[in-house]
Amino acid sequence: MNRRRTGGARVKATIYSIARELDISASTVSRAFSRPDMVNAKVRERILATAQAQGYELNRAARGLATGRTGLIGLVVLDITNPFFPPLVRAVERAASESDTSVMLLDAESGGQKAADQLKRLSAQVDGLIVASPRLATKDLQAAVGSTPTVLVNRSVRGIPSVTCDNSAALREAGDHLVELGHRRILLLRGPAGSWAASQRTNAVRSWAQHTSADVELVELGPVEATYEAGWHAAEAIAASGATAIMAFDDYLACGVVGGLDEQGLSVPDDRSIIGCDDVLLARTLTPQLSTVTAPFEELGARAVTMLSEVSAGGAPGNQKLSGVYAPRGTTGKV
Amino acid sequence: MNRRRTGGARVKATIYSIARELDISASTVSRAFSRPDMVNAKVRERILATAQAQGYELNRAARGLATGRTGLIGLVVLDITNPFFPPLVRAVERAASESDTSVMLLDAESGGQKAADQLKRLSAQVDGLIVASPRLATKDLQAAVGSTPTVLVNRSVRGIPSVTCDNSAALREAGDHLVELGHRRILLLRGPAGSWAASQRTNAVRSWAQHTSADVELVELGPVEATYEAGWHAAEAIAASGATAIMAFDDYLACGVVGGLDEQGLSVPDDRSIIGCDDVLLARTLTPQLSTVTAPFEELGARAVTMLSEVSAGGAPGNQKLSGVYAPRGTTGKV
DNA sequence: ATGACAAGTGCAATCGGTTGCATCGCATTG
DNA sequence: CAATGCGATGCAACCGATTGCACTTGTCAT
């Protein structure tokens, strides 16, 4: 591998070894790879052929040193084991590979100072950052990313481009659906304090409850962490609340609630209805399938990558808003 | 950021800018970072202080060019959306960060030629590769990784160090548990063709069935893909098989079976018992919780990283075997 | 024929570290 | 006191690409 095949000597293939073999300058070889249109088609072809023969692989470090860019983007997720993130990671990775860019993954796993440090360290190594659902305080976040081109996913912060998902219309629709099914007392299980998405969703549901023509009574519980366990533990209070339907911050939490309600002897959707958010894997593996608001993961990831390259190019894309779609499934039923 | 604070000129901080300010040579500055023990403690401290003051960040590309190493390892997973992988990714990432190494993630997502190409491309950019559960044919795999230091997770291939999880004892235990509960006709739902883990588990279960003193009758179904849908669709055949208990290739599949059985009007564990494997998130979010064989994700990831650094250092660690543990939970009941 | 212009190529400097080797000062030893 | 050794440092040559600039050719209009 990576060695010359012709001639006895086994040397690492570089643009120089190629140049020597073809008796041209290394600049031309370099350009054949980095700006193909600048070199004569015939020459380019001979270069490519020789490169192939020598097993040449471009040395990213050398390029990086010369250009100041690494060809890497950092993807920071709050918690890779949260089912929200894997589809996003996949989407980002695919989109990035389109532009010959690789993804460095950072599992931030905590919102504290450590997360900020990790972020800062990472940011020195990459061309840009995609930060998904960070819990960092606004100013810490701004400080941590510094001047590194950054795109936020699922959070909006002044001065940093972002791509978010606006679920308010879908949540209204979900609420209306519950009303239609006869629910009047509805419990909002609020997501984590410090989560931008959680406050967005809370506001959306509150606003819906306030403006709907039906006389719904909105009960709130939380904030709670977005985990199965938290949902499970919330079930007792939920059962006691008298609400017949629950709108949970996300699917993960919602699944926990379903499990916890079961423990309380309550079944879904017969005794209680519940609606999640995001449409993660869990939503479909739940029996019955979870009624939820689907998030466009693929699109979120792809846009983030596109926007990031715009930022890197000096642009300042605004904040893109996508929309969730309400998907009624098996966990919503009549009162 | 990254600029000198002292003196009007704003230049990028490098070992040279630090050296100049302290009137020492750049070599010493370099050594202060890469081999601290080689430089006088006092000098080192002044260097660190100046670096701090100038906002110096080591340029990885430059180091990489000089040393030939990138400080990156590539982590290749079969399918990041499969709940098996996120915990592993996290474990690898944490272990890697211990040694100041970053992780490049590649979601292989297919077993074909494309996967091989991706692998090859990635391998040129990293110091080493951790490849989890690849489906590539043995020789394609060997060819793709070439001479890049590689550690396999959850698969064993001649000539490549690996860390795997031996579940045979745990599966025997699981089988015995089923027998104890009165099950005699047990269905083995086989995992994907081409999956090393699947064949291991199949063999383990077969061997158990053959050697157990009880007169169990083992029915086999599959191979099927390791997805929820596949499990769901298998449920009909499972229901018809007359088996009262199912041992599924993994949890993901098992959850699908539970969902599908529900559709068939069969409930778990009352009508059928089922045991999964791996103990992924889904196992605990299922109601009732899935009886399964837990995999030591943390350990798998950590070992893989350790072994990889051994390989990089020229060693040839063998194949490490960890063990799963049978965890009876809610999906196994009396006949 | 002449100048203008464009395309294609080469030269050489540059990016920012690392490291083998030489050197120097100083302490230890005979 | 000279010789030896060692720890600490500097010198300078790399690592392998990119790129501004200069140069050569060929084409085309004048």
Side-chain angles (χ1 to χ4, degrees):
Chain A
M1 284 300 129
N2 242 12
R3 308 281 163 179
R4 264 225 246 195
R5 302 224 172 283
T6 59
R10 298 296 219 219
V11 296
K12 181 120 72 9
T14 68
I15 55 170
Y16 298 104
S17 68
I18 297 175
R20 210 175 314 125
E21 182 155 335
L22 294 178
D23 200 30
I24 57 182
S25 95
S27 324
T28 302
V29 178
S30 171
R31 283 191 272 254
F33 293 105
S34 53
R35 324 218 325 225
D37 48 312
M38 282 188 69
V39 359
N40 182 295
K42 285 184 177 167
V43 178
R44 191 195 321 143
E45 244 166 77
R46 293 173 55 215
I47 292 175
L48 262 29
T50 309
Q52 176 82 20
Q54 292 192 4
Y56 171 75
E57 299 270 4
L58 189 137
N59 182 322
R60 304 258 170 190
R63 167 179 285 185
L65 180 55
T67 61
R69 279 171 304 104
T70 58
L72 297 173
I73 64 179
L75 174 58
V76 184
V77 299
L78 183 61
D79 171 8
I80 185 69
T81 64
N82 182 315
F84 178 82
F85 295 103
L88 186 69
V89 170
R90 159 175 288 185
V92 167
E93 218 240 77
R94 286 200 201 168
S97 73
E98 294 291 304
S99 47
D100 198 30
T101 301
S102 301
V103 173
M104 284 184 48
L105 186 74
L106 178 62
D107 183 43
E109 74 180 285
S110 87
Q113 185 54 41
K114 210 168 78 193
D117 290 344
Q118 290 177 312
L119 236 190
K120 193 173 275 173
R121 190 133 54 109
L122 180 62
S123 70
Q125 290 188 56
V126 298
D127 294 339
L129 239 30
I130 294 178
V131 186
S133 310
R135 290 282 167 77
L136 245 41
T138 300
K139 65 168 56 165
D140 292 341
L141 186 58
Q142 288 166 331
V145 306
S147 58
T148 310
T150 301
V151 171
L152 254 33
V153 174
N154 212 21
R155 171 158 176 185
S156 171
V157 158
R158 193 175 156 68
I160 307 181
S162 60
V163 45
T164 54
C165 184
D166 182 356
N167 292 311
S168 50
L171 286 171
R172 275 201 301 277
E173 211 181 313
D176 288 344
H177 183 221
L178 288 176
V179 167
E180 203 174 296
L181 291 167
H183 298 277
R184 287 299 175 271
R185 192 173 168 86
I186 296 175
L187 186 138
L188 168 62
L189 181 55
R190 295 177 55 192
S195 158
W196 182 86
S199 66
Q200 294 291 303
R201 293 174 192 180
T202 295
N203 290 340
V205 173
R206 279 181 187 159
S207 147
W208 161 78
Q210 226 162 31
H211 295 93
T212 180
S213 50
D215 58 336
V216 312
E217 194 180 346
L218 189 68
V219 189
E220 293 193 14
L221 189 60
V224 300
E225 269 310 299
T227 63
Y228 184 87
E229 287 72 29
W232 203 91
H233 286 116
E236 192 173 345
I238 292 173
S241 73
T244 58
I246 301 103
M247 298 180 79
F249 163 63
D250 75 357
D251 294 342
Y252 198 6
L253 200 46
C255 286
V257 171
V258 172
L261 286 176
D262 182 82
E263 177 79 7
Q264 304 282 321
L266 295 170
S267 102
V268 171
D270 295 334
D271 303 318
R272 298 288 188 279
S273 286
I274 183 163
I275 293 175
C277 202
D278 292 341
D279 197 12
V280 299
L281 181 70
L282 286 177
R284 298 181 171 274
T285 65
L286 190 69
T287 305
Q289 292 194 0
L290 186 66
S291 296
T292 190
V293 172
T294 70
F297 293 105
E298 193 65 34
E299 191 72 9
L300 278 170
R303 295 257 181 134
V305 172
T306 307
M307 289 174 68
L308 184 54
S309 72
E310 286 173 30
V311 179
S312 297
N319 299 346
Q320 294 219 12
K321 270 205 178 69
L322 307 178
S323 304
V325 175
Y326 176 53
R329 296 210 268 253
T331 59
T332 37
K334 297 201 173 160
V335 171
Chain B
M1 287 302 132
N2 243 11
R3 308 282 166 179
R4 266 225 246 195
R5 302 226 170 282
T6 58
R10 299 294 218 222
V11 296
K12 179 120 75 7
T14 68
I15 55 170
Y16 297 103
S17 68
I18 296 175
R20 210 175 313 125
E21 183 156 333
L22 294 178
D23 201 28
I24 56 182
S25 95
S27 324
T28 303
V29 179
S30 170
R31 283 191 271 256
F33 292 105
S34 53
R35 326 224 315 230
D37 48 312
M38 282 188 69
V39 358
N40 182 294
K42 284 185 177 163
V43 178
R44 191 194 323 143
E45 243 165 77
R46 293 173 55 215
I47 291 175
L48 261 28
T50 310
Q52 176 80 22
Q54 292 191 6
Y56 170 75
E57 301 268 5
L58 189 138
N59 182 322
R60 304 258 170 190
R63 167 178 284 185
L65 180 55
T67 62
R69 278 170 306 103
T70 57
L72 298 173
I73 64 178
L75 174 57
V76 184
V77 298
L78 183 62
D79 171 7
I80 184 69
T81 64
N82 181 316
F84 178 82
F85 295 103
L88 186 68
V89 170
R90 158 174 289 185
V92 167
E93 218 239 79
R94 286 201 201 167
S97 73
E98 294 291 304
S99 48
D100 197 30
T101 303
S102 301
V103 173
M104 282 183 50
L105 187 73
L106 177 62
D107 184 42
E109 76 179 285
S110 88
Q113 185 54 41
K114 211 168 78 193
D117 289 345
Q118 290 178 311
L119 237 190
K120 194 173 274 174
R121 190 133 53 110
L122 180 63
S123 70
Q125 291 189 56
V126 299
D127 294 339
L129 240 30
I130 293 178
V131 186
S133 309
R135 291 282 168 77
L136 245 39
T138 300
K139 64 167 58 166
D140 291 341
L141 186 57
Q142 288 166 330
V145 306
S147 57
T148 309
T150 301
V151 171
L152 254 33
V153 174
N154 212 22
R155 170 157 177 186
S156 171
V157 159
R158 191 176 156 67
I160 307 181
S162 60
V163 44
T164 53
C165 184
D166 182 356
N167 293 312
S168 49
L171 286 172
R172 275 200 301 277
E173 211 181 315
D176 289 343
H177 184 221
L178 289 176
V179 167
E180 203 174 298
L181 291 167
H183 297 277
R184 288 298 176 270
R185 193 174 168 84
I186 297 174
L187 185 139
L188 167 63
L189 181 54
R190 295 176 54 191
S195 158
W196 181 86
S199 67
Q200 294 291 305
R201 294 174 191 179
T202 295
N203 290 340
V205 172
R206 279 181 188 161
S207 147
W208 162 78
Q210 227 162 29
H211 295 93
T212 181
S213 50
D215 59 334
V216 313
E217 194 180 348
L218 189 68
V219 189
E220 293 194 14
L221 190 60
V224 301
E225 269 310 300
T227 63
Y228 184 88
E229 288 72 28
W232 204 92
H233 286 116
E236 193 174 343
I238 292 173
S241 72
T244 58
I246 301 103
M247 298 180 77
F249 162 64
D250 75 357
D251 294 343
Y252 199 5
L253 199 46
C255 286
V257 172
V258 173
L261 286 176
D262 182 83
E263 176 79 7
Q264 303 283 322
L266 295 171
S267 101
V268 170
D270 295 335
D271 302 318
R272 297 288 189 279
S273 286
I274 183 163
I275 293 174
C277 202
D278 293 339
D279 198 12
V280 301
L281 181 71
L282 286 178
R284 299 181 171 274
T285 65
L286 191 69
T287 304
Q289 292 194 1
L290 185 65
S291 297
T292 190
V293 172
T294 69
F297 293 107
E298 194 64 36
E299 190 72 9
L300 278 170
R303 296 256 181 132
V305 172
T306 307
M307 289 174 68
L308 184 55
S309 71
E310 285 172 31
V311 179
S312 297
N319 298 346
Q320 295 219 10
K321 270 203 178 70
L322 308 178
S323 304
V325 175
Y326 176 52
R329 297 210 268 254
T331 59
T332 37
K334 297 200 176 162
V335 172

